[in-house]
Amino acid sequence: MTKNTHSGDGAGFATRAIHAGQEPDPLTGAVVPPVVMASTFTQDGVGNLRGGYEYARAANPTRDALQTQLASLEGATHAFSFASGLAAEDALMRSVLAPGDTVLMGNDVYGGTHRLASKIFGPWGVTVVTTEMTDLEGVAAAIAANQPTVVWLETPSNPFMKVSDIAAVSELVGDALLVVDNTFATPYLQRPLEHGAHVVVHSTTKYLGGHSDVVGGAVITNNDELAEKVGFHQFAAGAISAPMEAWLTTRGIKTLPVRMDRHCHNAQILAEALDADPRVEQVFYPGLPSHAGHDIARTQMSGFGGMLSMRFPTGAQAQAFVESTEVFTLAESLGGVESLVNYPAKMTHMSVKGTELEVPDTIVRLSVGIEDIDDLLADVMQALERAGKY
Ligand SMILES: *Cc1c(COP(=O)(O)O)cnc(C)c1O
């Protein structure tokens, strides 16, 4: 065997994003590894496998390529890719929770994460407790009072972009497993395992895929014992990412660094412009010095990301704004190259109405894309103008 020159070991982030797991096809020399659609693999005699592949739920080369790439980017030894972010979270929760256990979650985690834990795992005997993850004394008290098996953190959070100190929380968790949902930051801006997290989850549907054309998720860790459990759930329950989805995600990840640089650049300019505009009451963006999490974000992240939210004086103005943008498309989700505008109260956060996670109807969330910043600024300004009439 020749030395594997494409593992990306020891190389910089952008080099690994492009090369980790991406060896040219040994048969044809194709620089881009092919999408292997086969569900089954021939055996040269019973149990004599050519490349270690047998049946595609157990393992598939295209999914392996993505998993190698994902592990490399988070600085981890194991990654498992799934059919969606929630499928990844489900496999992780089933791997680590048992009846009688408690999960301690941030009070602003992704609504679907809270729904999964409370509505699916609740009836199986798991208790979900939420707490304010930026208040370290409160986190310590909640851990002491509830003795959780799992502590679940999301930073920056959604939609207020609250920033939690991963290293500080990791000091408090004791024997509990610290899970960080790294979807908003991506490993380009933040690598939670380096700050003491035990496991990272992603909705790769967002920035990693990056083009709003594929749904997927991942669980990533350095813990061999945990990896064995998650790998077994992936195999035994089967919520795997399909080959085409895995390939599209791999393709998206190759441009993650350049996309994230532009997302950060555009979001910072927009956040500053909106912050200076009297028609907007408050802007929530970690890149603004006035943001409560700015200092932690500066040390924990290498950029402030592409997501921001803002508060309008009235709900009517907020809704008028989201219905007035022309470059920003009104849609759920985030992290694609195109700019999206979302009205959490009636869209993404509708399912958490009436809970601690409820978002006021005055809040608008932007997923700032990588279009020309002048067009984005002009669009937001004309939408503010129209919203002002309500
Ligand atoms: C979208 C999202 C999820 C869920 O991922 P799906 O791919 O939609 O299943 C989980 N966490 C965060 C932060 C998300 O934005």
Side-chain angles (χ1 to χ4, degrees):
M1 280 293 281
T2 54
K3 189 173 172 296
N4 173 4
T5 52
H6 286 78
S7 73
D9 284 351
F13 189 93
T15 306
R16 284 181 284 130
I18 293 167
H19 293 293
Q22 297 296 301
E23 293 80 7
D25 179 36
L27 200 62
T28 63
V31 167
V32 177
V35 190
V36 177
M37 298 298 286
S39 59
T40 189
F41 299 81
T42 187
Q43 308 194 5
D44 298 322
V46 178
N48 190 2
L49 311 178
R50 291 187 190 178
Y53 296 103
E54 186 173 17
Y55 181 63
R57 172 162 36 71
N60 163 285
T62 312
R63 188 167 92 235
D64 275 355
L66 169 60
Q67 292 179 160
T68 302
Q69 189 188 29
L70 286 167
S72 175
L73 294 190
E74 288 285 3
T77 45
H78 307 280
F80 301 92
S81 84
F82 290 88
S84 70
L86 285 175
E89 295 183 12
D90 175 57
L92 175 61
M93 287 185 197
R94 274 190 280 166
S95 301
V96 298
L97 291 170
D101 285 351
T102 296
V103 187
L104 180 67
M105 286 189 165
N107 58 10
D108 52 2
V109 294
Y110 180 71
T113 301
H114 185 266
R115 182 178 56 204
L116 173 66
S118 58
K119 298 265 167 65
I120 305 285
F121 288 86
W124 290 88
V126 169
T127 303
V128 181
V129 177
T130 57
T131 194
E132 172 54 57
M133 285 288 178
T134 59
D135 165 16
L136 293 172
E137 274 174 36
V139 172
I143 289 172
N146 297 289
Q147 298 292 315
T149 310
V150 171
V151 175
W152 196 287
L153 186 71
E154 202 175 304
T155 179
S157 73
N158 178 14
F160 293 109
M161 310 305 145
K162 285 194 276 184
V163 177
S164 305
D165 187 332
I166 300 169
V169 172
S170 83
E171 306 268 298
L172 301 174
V173 300
D175 291 338
L177 192 79
L178 177 59
V179 180
V180 174
D181 184 331
N182 203 27
T183 299
F184 272 40
T186 84
Y188 180 61
L189 301 180
Q190 166 176 286
R191 286 176 295 282
L193 300 177
E194 291 173 5
H195 300 287
H198 301 112
V199 49
V200 167
V201 297
H202 276 285
S203 169
T204 58
T205 312
K206 315 295 167 52
Y207 286 105
L208 292 172
H211 297 74
S212 305
D213 55 8
V214 59
V215 174
V219 175
I220 303 167
T221 185
N222 276 315
N223 181 317
D224 294 340
E225 203 184 324
L226 176 63
E228 194 164 326
K229 289 184 189 162
V230 174
F232 183 72
H233 275 85
Q234 187 193 44
F235 163 68
I240 52 169
S241 44
M244 197 63 210
E245 276 69 11
W247 187 87
L248 280 169
T249 307
T250 282
R251 177 184 158 112
I253 289 173
K254 290 177 184 177
T255 56
L256 179 69
V258 288
R259 284 188 286 108
M260 290 314 293
D261 284 343
R262 179 69 83 94
H263 283 298
C264 293
H265 174 259
N266 283 355
Q268 183 75 38
I269 292 173
L270 270 177
E272 287 172 8
L274 290 165
D275 197 40
D277 197 300
R279 293 168 292 189
V280 177
E281 270 196 2
Q282 193 176 356
V283 175
F284 305 91
Y285 183 65
L288 295 176
S290 59
H291 188 271
H294 180 68
D295 289 338
I296 300 167
R298 276 180 46 175
T299 56
Q300 183 168 277
M301 305 172 73
S302 57
F304 302 110
M307 298 299 299
L308 66 89
S309 293
M310 51 184 155
R311 188 170 62 224
F312 282 86
T314 70
Q317 283 167 332
Q319 185 159 343
F321 177 88
V322 305
E323 291 173 348
S324 300
T325 56
E326 286 165 5
V327 182
F328 279 83
T329 301
L330 181 61
E332 298 198 4
S333 198
L334 59 112
V337 291
E338 62 287 298
S339 292
L340 301 180
V341 61
N342 164 48
Y343 190 41
K346 291 188 180 170
M347 292 170 62
T348 49
H349 288 64
M350 182 99 130
S351 73
V352 291
K353 201 171 160 49
T355 74
E356 209 191 330
L357 282 70
E358 180 170 334
V359 175
D361 68 359
T362 49
I363 300 295
V364 166
R365 188 188 79 185
L366 300 180
S367 172
V368 182
I370 64 172
E371 299 95 335
D372 289 295
I373 184 61
D374 289 347
D375 294 330
L376 299 183
L377 275 170
D379 189 37
V380 161
M381 290 304 153
Q382 68 80 25
L384 279 178
E385 189 62 36
R386 283 156 75 176
K389 303 197 171 76
Y390 286 80

